[in-house]
Amino acid sequence: MAFALNHGQVIQMNLRSFQVSDDSEAKNNESRENYHRMPTRPILCSISVEDGVSFDDVSNTEIISYEIKDADNNPIAVTGDEADFIQTLFSLSGEYVIQFRTDEYIYYGSIGI
């Protein structure tokens, strides 16, 4: 679990990602030979009241859904609005899983705040 650094109104955390695929992509990949898959490298994410959500090394990320889940993976908040997500996140304390959904990827990470 990564612990968020909460200095004033900024949280920094490491995220992982996985690509969202549809059924047609899955069928195309079934014909490939087995191969070893490396885990994704962590992506640094900053969350602040002033600057919103930003990713290092990821460009053109349009987040569709912002999600906060408890340690047991139960939803605490799911919203399409960045400001609502940030306001809710900064009002919490404890251990949570954060997920950001885009058209192509889901970015996720665990934090303790």
Side-chain angles (χ1 to χ4, degrees), residues 9-12 45-55 63 66 81-87 89-90 100:
Q9 295 294 319
V10 177
I11 294 175
Q12 291 185 329
C45 174
S46 296
I47 304 169
S48 75
V49 173
E50 292 180 5
D51 298 325
V53 176
S54 62
F55 299 98
I63 298 172
Y66 301 82
D81 184 65
E82 182 178 68
D84 287 345
F85 163 76
I86 293 170
Q87 182 179 14
L89 183 63
F90 279 107
F100 302 113

Side-chain angles (χ1 to χ4, degrees), residues 86-106:
I86 293 170
Q87 182 179 14
T88 303
L89 183 63
F90 279 107
S91 71
L92 299 173
S93 63
E95 296 180 9
Y96 299 95
V97 175
I98 305 298
Q99 283 188 202
F100 302 113
R101 294 180 184 267
T102 68
D103 284 335
E104 296 180 13
Y105 290 93
I106 296 176

